[in-house]
Amino acid sequence: MRGDFAESAGCRSDVVIGREESFGAARDQLARGGSVLLHGPAGIGKSTVLRALAAEYARTARTVLRCSATESESHLPFLALADLLGLVLDEVSHALPAAQRTALESALTGRGESTLQRDGLALRLAVLSALRALAAAGPVLVVADDLQWLDPASAELLGFAARRLGDTPVRLLCAVRTEGPETEGAEYDRHLRASPPDTRPVRLGPLTRPQVSTLLDERGYGDLPRSTVRDIHRTSGGNPLFALELGRALAESPTPPRPGEPLPVPTSLRALVLSRLEMLSGEARRTLLVASAGARPTPALLHAAGRENAEAETARAAELGLLATDPEGPAVRFAHPLISAALYAEAPAPERRAAHAALSTAASDPIERARHLALATTGADPEVAARLAGAAALARDRGAPSVAASLGLLSARHTPAGSAPGPDERRLQAAEDAITAGEADLARDIAREVLTRAGTPGERVRAWMVVIEAAGQAIGEVDDVFPQALADAGDDPRLLALVHYQLAWRSLVVQGDFAQGRQEAAHAARLAARAGDRRAELLALAFQAQAETLMGHPDAPATIQRALQEPQDPRVACHHNGAISSRFRWLVMSDRLDEARTTATTLLREVRRRGMAESEVHYLRFLAETELHSGHCGRALELARESLTLARDAGIAEGAGAMQAALAEAAGGDVRRALALAREAVRRAEEDGDAVYLSRTLAALGHAHLVAGDAGAAVRVLRRVRELEAGAGITDPARGRWQGDLAEALVRIGEPSEAQDVIEVTRAHALRLGRESVLAVLDRAEAQVRAARGEHRSAVARLTSARARLAGLGYGLEEARAVFALAALHASRSGRAPVSASYDEAARLFRRCRALPWLRQVEEAVAARADEAVPGRAAVADPPAGSSAGPSAGPLAGLASMERRVAALVMEGATNREIAARLFVSVKTVEATLTRAYRKLGIRSRVDLVRLAAGRAPE
């Protein structure tokens, strides 16, 4: 009935976590008057989505009918039908013929002997008539959860009615359990019989790791380390119910799982996934336990571990659905990761150790052998600890720092106190590996544990450095660490070099003082050189070079060369704060885009090989920036989105990722999303107290405002950027390239004098540093200043020159903006005369760049010109080469360029979506363009347009 689902507010928060697309598809289908079948495995969230959808549509439906079946009641005939119609029987009974009314009352009340065999036709017609009677008074929504447990009689009656409702305003919203894509076809044949013919199936798939993290946060489990969240996601397979149960168990557990072990699985989930385990023999269960303990179990590995009948036992497990067949290889793969974890958790500790002991000799990989040996051993054992430390080093070299961190912690656990290296030294190495892997929470926890003990000065300073590194851009939150680290370092130049390197970052990030940061870095480099610590010296020199580059300091090239001198540390060389990264930044700022692209691509390949998660995030971002400068907006958007996804997944550099994604969206994606991402980036920088990225994120926000057409907002934001960079001592305009945007926005709001001041100050620095692309962009902005002052000829000359120079430097998007400005300038001088050829060239260049937001601006400018034109006076330029205007151009002579193209494609029979794809515009743009064309031509439809082209009068 009405108001049946008023509890929607309580479940809506779950729906939006990873279900936006599925929820939107289902909502659109219901809005069109169609029906929806939600499907997916147990625990995937079908009931939650169903409740939220039902709550939303209960407001527009006069009647809501609901049933929720259970397995234990599925044998009771007509139970679901009674749930659906029992409360409305009195409302509809008068509208039913006597025979139908009697059969339905008997079935719903159980007081008669009605059966499908005896009263089949009457019952079927009664359900159909009841639904039609309810719909006659207003829309009806039928909500059925767990369709697979519907009693057969109810399912048959509901299906009969659903297939015959036709245009009757009755919508069905159902949910059914399906185990996987490979079985869905057969299940649909059975379940869709209870749904109308136009039902849209909507599958709910697994959540991503960030979505699982958000879900855990929503339910109060947000304090779990990211490494634990990663394990929860892997073990749950992205199933929200499983993830929440695992999160709850871990949050309530007094001790975390040992490194290398599967997660503890609560009893509730063990019963859910291991119900079929009792059908296996004891030997088969032991074989599966060995498989669950192995990283990549195969029949050969199980044989080597002493499981002689592995093939037969795993085949039986596959028949029971515990294992999945793998057509691509011989691996023994569990049907769901949770089955493996539950099986391991169910086994007694001695049996687990026995499984690991068998695998410690059977595994061929030395890393796996060492891990199993550790998990089979209790207590301290120096030999085991040494083997684990060696395995950690091997994993590090293989580019698996996360594995190295896990093995390092196991090594520390088995290292006796007082040995050399000691347990804490191995823990610190594990923490540093965790930093490399992007697992900052784990690294910080390890370091804090080490700091609870006295330790040596070297260990304590290393631990403090891990705490600072784990803070990331929020380095201001660990300000209290620096005095303690300096005290622990004493007068040791090696330790002092580490602390002063981090103080350089603090000067930059917290204080926004590039000069102070440069001095701290230079001091750290000298200390490291005196101590013979080449790695620390290289990092400090790279920082100094980066600070000098951004400051526009003349020593920057020389410092970069010093940082690139041999000997090199391979990990520092490819690090995102290393010397080659500093050289990349200098190449970009010096307009050497091809070299910059090659450098970033090489670095990205290397950090991926080494498993350096944070560096991978940054190099993807660097590549996106390079592609954006080159005018490859589509590629830049792909790279920026990938970088942001990885950043969110690991919880590192999210602000920087959002900033670059905002710029890419503003150039080649969606402007509204660009604004949202830029605001997020600004918020993160402000929350972290990050003075370095604050100015860059604000520059991205100002640019997004400009692209969105809000010049006033752009000016307000970019004026703040100017103040921040002046205070920080940043003089190189190629750092953020916001000055041209500010000048252009100032012209738009009627402040050409201030715009000229910005241009002149910036030009002086650009000339000093040889920033040719910046100078060309400033000329483009100055042309608009001159146009605002009425100096038309000079403005045209400036824009023409700027366009040629930007094209020569390879800045495709900036070149297109210059042509667009030139077209607008011609338009402003031509009154009502046509200027479509100028806009056509701008559109061509923006289309080449895949700069969709800018292309839409061109379309809007052309449309505005067309609307201003006097009917009958608008001249028509020749259609561009390769266009579809052809012989149909005559009847379309009064249309603007974009309108002619769209109309010509309509005449070819193209749909609006096909036209949008061919012209790289949105479907809404096509629709709006057609509406304007119809109005100008005095017609109403596509049919009229075709008739007009054929020389016949529209009807």
Side-chain angles (χ1 to χ4, degrees), residues 231-276:
D231 292 340
I232 289 174
H233 176 256
R234 183 182 64 245
T235 302
S236 68
N239 185 297
L241 172 65
F242 297 170
L244 286 171
E245 285 296 296
L246 290 168
R248 179 184 58 78
L250 285 164
E252 295 173 356
S253 174
T255 57
R258 294 174 63 190
E261 285 189 343
L263 294 179
V265 179
T267 304
S268 59
L269 291 185
R270 295 187 203 179
L272 181 65
V273 299
L274 296 182
S275 57
R276 286 163 286 188

Side-chain angles (χ1 to χ4, degrees), residues 231-523:
D231 292 340
I232 289 174
H233 176 256
R234 183 182 64 245
T235 302
S236 68
N239 185 297
L241 172 65
F242 297 170
L244 286 171
E245 285 296 296
L246 290 168
R248 179 184 58 78
L250 285 164
E252 295 173 356
S253 174
T255 57
R258 294 174 63 190
E261 285 189 343
L263 294 179
V265 179
T267 304
S268 59
L269 291 185
R270 295 187 203 179
L272 181 65
V273 299
L274 296 182
S275 57
R276 286 163 286 188
L277 195 63
E278 296 177 357
M279 302 176 68
L280 288 175
S281 66
E283 287 299 310
R285 287 199 294 271
R286 278 187 282 276
T287 295
L288 288 191
L289 174 61
V290 174
S292 72
R296 293 174 297 278
T298 63
L301 178 65
L302 295 176
H303 271 294
R307 310 311 303 164
E308 297 178 355
N309 298 316
E311 285 89 348
E313 290 162 350
T314 55
R316 175 58 179 153
E319 291 175 4
L320 295 173
L322 293 165
L323 296 179
T325 57
D326 190 348
E328 298 182 359
V332 176
R333 184 166 59 87
F334 285 89
H336 192 282
L338 188 63
I339 297 175
S340 173
L343 191 109
Y344 188 92
E346 188 81 3
E351 291 188 17
R352 293 189 212 167
R353 288 197 294 272
H356 286 297
L359 288 168
S360 70
T361 58
S364 59
D365 185 84
I367 293 177
E368 276 300 292
R369 288 200 301 270
R371 182 178 74 88
H372 289 301
L373 179 62
L375 295 174
T377 305
T378 57
D381 188 321
E383 182 180 346
V384 172
R387 283 185 60 180
L388 283 164
L394 181 58
R396 199 175 303 120
D397 290 340
R398 287 182 180 179
S402 180
V403 175
S406 176
L407 292 168
L409 288 174
L410 285 171
S411 176
R413 182 186 293 270
H414 291 288
T415 299
S419 60
D424 280 347
E425 186 172 348
R426 284 177 166 155
R427 287 189 182 93
L428 288 169
Q429 180 61 65
E432 289 163 358
D433 286 328
I435 286 287
T436 302
E439 298 179 9
D441 291 347
L442 175 61
R444 180 172 49 248
D445 290 345
I446 297 170
R448 291 289 188 188
E449 179 193 350
V450 170
L451 287 165
T452 60
R453 297 180 281 276
T456 66
E459 288 175 345
R460 292 186 63 80
V461 171
R462 280 180 72 187
W464 290 126
M465 296 304 100
V466 169
V467 171
I468 294 170
E469 287 278 358
Q473 298 302 121
I475 192 172
E477 295 179 2
V478 292
D479 253 1
D480 60 323
V481 165
F482 288 98
Q484 300 176 72
L486 284 168
D488 285 332
D491 57 0
D492 186 329
R494 182 179 63 84
L495 300 180
L496 285 170
L498 298 177
V499 180
H500 280 281
Y501 172 69
Q502 294 295 349
L503 281 169
W505 279 107
R506 181 187 176 280
S507 298
L508 200 65
V509 174
V510 177
Q511 298 173 303
D513 191 334
F514 277 70
Q516 178 64 29
R518 174 179 176 269
Q519 290 176 12
E520 289 283 6
H523 183 44

Side-chain angles (χ1 to χ4, degrees), residues 95-106 121-130:
L96 305 182
Q100 295 179 22
R101 181 169 60 251
T102 300
L104 185 59
E105 289 176 347
S106 175
L121 181 59
L123 272 173
R124 288 173 171 83
L125 293 174
V127 173
L128 178 60
S129 299

Side-chain angles (χ1 to χ4, degrees), residues 5 29 80 170 235 302 318 347 413 443 445 462-463 465 519 537 597 698 702 769 784 819 821 837-838 853 902 916 938:
F5 291 88
Q29 175 74 355
V170 176
T235 302
L302 295 176
R413 182 186 293 270
D445 290 345
R462 280 180 72 187
M465 296 304 100
Q519 290 176 12
E537 182 186 9
R597 182 183 296 105
L698 284 167
L769 297 166
Q784 296 177 63
V819 174
S838 299
V902 171

Side-chain angles (χ1 to χ4, degrees), residues 625-637:
E625 179 185 357
T626 307
E627 298 295 359
L628 204 55
H629 287 320
S630 301
H632 305 150
C633 299
R635 176 63 176 153
L637 191 57

Side-chain angles (χ1 to χ4, degrees), residues 830-834 863-876 893-895 936:
S830 62
R832 296 177 182 266
R865 289 288 299 174
D867 288 341
E868 292 172 3
V870 177
R873 287 185 52 190
V876 180
L895 301 182
K936 292 178 182 179

Side-chain angles (χ1 to χ4, degrees), residues 44-59:
I44 206 67
K46 302 180 298 298
S47 297
T48 302
V49 176
L50 180 136
R51 285 196 301 270
L53 286 166
E56 184 166 319
Y57 282 91
R59 294 190 292 269

